[in-house]
Amino acid sequence: MADAENPLLGEITCGSLMQKLQEIWDEVGESYEERDKMLLLIEQECLDVYKRKVEQAANSRAQLLQVLSDAKLELSTLVSALGDKSSVGIPEKASETIKEQLAAIAPALERLWKQKEERVKEFSDVRSQIQKICGEIAGNGSEQTGALVVDESDLSLKKLDEYQVKLKELQKEKSDRLNKVLEFVSTVHDLCAVLGMDFFSTITEVHPSLGDSTGVQSKSISNDTLSRLAKTVSALNEDKKQRLHKLQELATQLIDLWNLMDTPEEERRLFDHVTCNSSALVDKVTVPGALALDLIEQAEVEVDRLDKLKSSRMKEIALKRQLELEKIFASVHIEIDPEAAREKIMALIDSGNVEPTELLADMDNQIMKAKEEALSRKEILDRVEKWMSACEEESWLEDYNRDENRYNASRGAHLNLKRAEKARILVNKIPGMVDTLVAKTRAWEEDRGISFMYDGVPLLAMLDEYAMLRQEREEEKRRLRGQKKVSEQQNMEQETAFGSRLSPVRPAGPKKVVGPRANGGANGTLSRRLSLNANQHGNRSAGKDGKRDSMKLAAPANIVTVSKEDAASHVSRTDSVPASP
């Protein structure tokens, strides 16, 4: 009412309206009962208006609380997904009004939404790269066209770091695989070059991207590609090994045929590209075209040509091998019948019942066995050589001792004296030489179950006879020394009886039976001697030193010769006969 009377307000208020209503009721003469009813109705209508307003305010508050709750929930979800609560300013005071709380949360939500978008993009990029590399490794990289779904429930930096670590591992694996692919491609290129094959067609059969020169990153690195590359390299290496083996066989055949037929050097040089790898290792053959098929075919054609030419020259080649075999036997004093062997070879070739290659292989086998036999006899033959040389010196020493003018001051006398001193030392070693030679020979015979033949005669028979002759010679020397003493004693007695010394009668000297190369015997006890002279072995080669061989052949001085039939039936003594020094 006070407000209605205030002229300054100039506004309609509840009091002014009530005053106006009272004036109207007074003017109309409304009863108090009607007035009370009307006032009650007005009051009820006011309550209804207030009630509606309160309900509206409550609804608005509920909506704001729901918005605040949703905002808090979203904030919590974003913080949980991003995993970084410290970077977001979240209000913690509950005394602020709802709108104040909403106003405080809104900037944090905006920052988190922006951070989430950035984080999702980072996850998407990393996952996309991971998916791409995994597809490349699996071999289906081109099929990864669908949109990548990012799990937004966990966008933490820890999860992102895990993906980045995985991405780095995959990137390293991709780099390793790419390097391995490039190594395989390079190996295939080198192998194709050596084998004379088309590299592009070979590599594109493995995968089309491998022949693309536009970029390295575009090449396939899948497991299938690596497996097929490994198989291709293995197949090419095996092909290379087989071709090299084939080429080396052809090179060996070429060299053997050239050597057999004395092919001139100019003709051999035409196939230097074949023979240069005759002993090379597989890894060392890197020259382009070195193992091309046309080169191998060219070598095969040449081998076939030389094989046909070899057949026409078979007799010449076979006789050459036979001569080599005879030289080996002659060098180690093994007696064979060369004429019969040559006739047999010619008969085989003329009959056509034997392949030339088989005949040459058989003769090569004989030569190999002959060389092995010669090697097994070498030590004994060297000792025989020393023994015979010592016997020659023994024979010379006997002649020297019988020379009455050996001490005269003639030219060269001092040289003969030195030789005699050395000869005496060597002669004293002969018994030991013989004993050792007998032991070595018997060991050789026991090991092989055959007799050791020296130019067709058992060596033990020669040694036994030499021991016998040496013993006979020593007995002859003792007998002559006794005769000399008796003669000297008779001379002394005659000189005493007659007063003058008679000229001594020179006793007959011992026969010359010193060495194993003499032609005579001791006292004629054995009728035949071991024949080692030049007349019996005229077909033997002269050797390296003609003078030395002539000495050996003419020198046999005191070995009793026996025929081959007698030698074969001769039984060696179990113990060597001791020889006097």
Side-chain angles (χ1 to χ4, degrees):
M1 297 296 290
D3 293 336
E5 294 176 355
N6 188 2
L8 298 177
L9 292 176
E11 296 179 357
I12 296 176
T13 64
C14 290
S16 64
L17 290 175
M18 181 60 70
Q19 185 178 358
K20 187 67 177 176
L21 184 60
Q22 288 290 344
E23 290 176 355
I24 294 172
W25 282 341
D26 288 338
E27 186 178 349
V28 172
E30 192 69 48
S31 65
Y32 287 103
E33 292 178 359
E34 292 293 330
R35 292 183 181 186
D36 290 338
K37 290 179 181 180
M38 187 64 67
L39 288 174
L40 287 173
L41 182 62
I42 291 171
E43 222 175 278
Q44 186 62 42
E45 289 179 354
C46 287
L47 286 174
D48 292 338
V49 170
Y50 275 114
K51 190 181 290 185
R52 288 197 300 275
K53 292 298 181 180
V54 169
E55 288 178 358
Q56 291 176 358
N59 290 335
S60 177
R61 183 187 64 180
Q63 290 177 356
L64 288 174
L65 286 173
Q66 184 63 43
V67 171
L68 179 60
S69 176
D70 292 342
K72 288 181 177 180
L73 178 61
E74 185 175 4
L75 182 67
S76 175
T77 301
L78 289 172
V79 170
S80 175
L82 296 174
D84 190 7
K85 185 176 180 180
S86 61
S87 62
V88 182
I90 301 176
E92 296 180 357
K93 295 181 180 180
S95 61
E96 297 177 345
T97 64
I98 297 174
K99 290 185 176 181
E100 288 176 346
Q101 292 181 43
L102 283 173
I105 289 176
L109 280 174
E110 186 177 356
R111 287 194 300 272
L112 288 175
W113 271 110
K114 186 176 180 181
Q115 187 175 353
K116 178 182 178 181
E117 290 176 0
E118 294 175 352
R119 193 70 59 80
V120 168
K121 186 177 183 302
E122 291 178 358
F123 269 84
S124 179
D125 291 342
V126 173
R127 291 282 305 281
S128 177
Q129 294 181 59
I130 290 175
Q131 188 176 21
K132 181 180 178 182
I133 296 175
C134 289
E136 292 175 355
I137 292 175
N140 55 359
S142 59
E143 300 177 4
Q144 303 297 324
T145 56
L148 184 66
V149 178
V150 178
D151 181 13
E152 296 183 2
S153 63
D154 188 359
L155 299 174
S156 63
L157 290 176
K158 180 181 178 181
K159 188 69 173 179
L160 182 61
D161 289 340
E162 291 178 1
Y163 279 120
Q164 288 175 342
V165 169
K166 184 177 180 181
L167 176 60
K168 288 180 179 179
E169 292 175 352
L170 289 171
Q171 286 174 338
K172 185 178 183 303
E173 183 178 357
K174 177 181 178 179
S175 177
D176 294 341
R177 285 171 171 262
L178 186 58
N179 290 333
K180 197 170 184 178
V181 167
L182 294 177
E183 289 178 4
F184 276 133
V185 171
S186 177
T187 302
V188 172
H189 179 273
D190 295 341
L191 288 171
C192 287
V194 173
L195 298 173
M197 299 172 60
D198 183 15
F199 165 71
F200 183 79
S201 62
T202 303
I203 204 66
T204 51
E205 285 180 3
V206 178
H207 197 277
S209 68
L210 300 179
D212 187 7
S213 59
T214 56
V216 175
Q217 297 297 327
S218 63
K219 297 188 182 301
S220 173
I221 58 171
S222 66
N223 292 330
D224 181 63
T225 300
L226 285 171
S227 176
R228 296 182 66 182
L229 276 173
K231 291 179 180 178
T232 301
V233 170
S234 177
L236 291 174
N237 275 323
E238 184 63 27
D239 194 11
K240 179 181 179 183
K241 187 185 297 182
Q242 292 178 359
R243 290 194 191 185
L244 179 61
H245 180 67
K246 177 66 174 177
L247 192 69
Q248 288 178 340
E249 286 183 345
L250 292 171
T252 302
Q253 294 176 25
L254 282 174
I255 293 172
D256 292 342
L257 290 169
W258 287 340
N259 293 336
L260 282 174
M261 295 183 284
D262 295 328
T263 304
E265 192 64 30
E266 295 76 12
E267 187 175 341
R268 299 188 184 196
R269 277 200 291 268
L270 296 176
F271 289 88
D272 281 348
H273 55 291
V274 176
T275 57
C276 66
N277 293 319
S278 59
S279 60
L281 298 176
V282 176
D283 297 337
K284 301 300 181 182
V285 181
T286 57
V287 178
L291 300 176
L293 286 176
D294 56 348
L295 186 145
I296 296 176
E297 292 174 358
Q298 180 186 3
E300 287 176 340
V301 170
E302 180 64 12
V303 169
D304 291 339
R305 185 185 73 83
L306 292 176
D307 270 334
K308 295 177 182 178
L309 182 61
K310 180 188 71 175
S311 299
S312 64
R313 298 178 57 187
M314 189 60 200
K315 290 185 179 180
E316 178 184 346
I317 297 170
L319 289 176
K320 185 178 179 181
R321 297 289 178 87
Q322 179 61 25
L323 181 60
E324 181 181 355
L325 187 63
E326 292 171 8
K327 287 181 178 179
I328 295 173
F329 283 137
S331 66
V332 292
H333 298 275
I334 297 177
E335 194 174 69
I336 60 173
D337 188 354
E339 292 300 328
R342 294 179 186 182
E343 290 176 2
K344 182 179 179 181
I345 291 171
M346 293 299 103
L348 284 173
I349 295 174
D350 292 336
S351 67
N353 295 329
V354 63
E355 288 292 332
T357 53
E358 293 179 1
L359 178 59
L360 289 180
D362 181 64
M363 296 190 73
D364 287 338
N365 190 36
Q366 292 181 38
I367 291 173
M368 182 181 67
K369 290 181 178 178
K371 289 179 178 178
E372 293 176 356
E373 180 73 10
L375 186 62
S376 71
R377 294 166 61 92
K378 185 178 184 304
E379 182 182 2
I380 294 177
L381 290 176
D382 289 342
R383 293 182 180 275
V384 170
E385 182 72 19
K386 293 179 180 178
W387 169 54
M388 290 185 174
S389 297
C391 289
E392 288 178 1
E393 288 298 298
E394 187 179 23
S395 177
W396 177 87
L397 185 60
E398 289 291 333
D399 293 337
Y400 178 78
N401 289 336
R402 284 193 294 269
D403 185 6
E404 296 180 354
N405 299 322
R406 62 184 180 275
Y407 296 119
N408 293 343
S410 60
R411 184 176 182 181
H414 66 288
L415 297 177
N416 289 332
L417 183 60
K418 288 183 179 180
R419 179 179 177 181
E421 292 174 356
K422 293 181 180 179
R424 290 188 185 94
I425 296 173
L426 185 60
V427 167
N428 290 332
K429 296 179 180 178
I430 290 179
M433 290 182 182
V434 173
D435 291 342
T436 303
L437 191 53
V438 168
K440 293 284 185 182
T441 305
R442 285 179 177 168
W444 187 94
E445 291 182 349
E446 289 175 3
D447 184 48
R448 288 162 179 78
I450 58 175
S451 297
F452 190 100
M453 307 299 289
Y454 187 93
D455 289 334
V457 179
L459 180 58
L460 285 178
M462 295 170 59
L463 295 170
D464 289 345
E465 290 192 44
Y466 172 76
M468 291 172 59
L469 291 174
R470 188 177 180 86
Q471 186 176 12
E472 291 175 3
R473 187 195 63 178
E474 294 300 327
E475 292 175 356
E476 180 71 11
K477 283 184 177 180
R478 286 193 293 271
R479 185 182 63 81
L480 292 176
R481 282 197 294 269
Q483 290 180 355
K484 185 177 181 181
K485 288 181 180 179
V486 172
S487 176
E488 288 178 354
Q489 186 176 1
Q490 289 176 354
N491 290 337
M492 290 294 293
E493 291 175 354
Q494 291 178 0
E495 184 177 356
T496 303
F498 299 101
S500 62
R501 187 172 183 177
L502 299 175
S503 298
V505 180
R506 184 175 181 178
K511 292 185 179 180
K512 182 180 177 182
V513 290
V514 179
R517 301 183 182 183
N519 294 324
N523 298 327
T525 55
L526 295 174
S527 60
R528 290 178 292 175
R529 304 289 181 178
L530 294 174
S531 178
L532 300 176
N533 54 33
N535 294 329
Q536 182 178 354
H537 300 281
N539 59 344
R540 186 184 302 172
S541 59
K544 296 182 178 180
D545 190 341
K547 181 178 179 180
R548 181 171 177 83
D549 284 347
S550 65
M551 288 175 64
K552 292 178 183 178
L553 295 173
N558 47 10
I559 282 189
V560 179
T561 60
V562 294
S563 65
K564 294 179 183 177
E565 293 80 3
D566 295 337
S569 63
H570 178 81
V571 180
S572 301
R573 294 177 177 83
T574 56
D575 297 320
S576 60
V577 179
S580 301

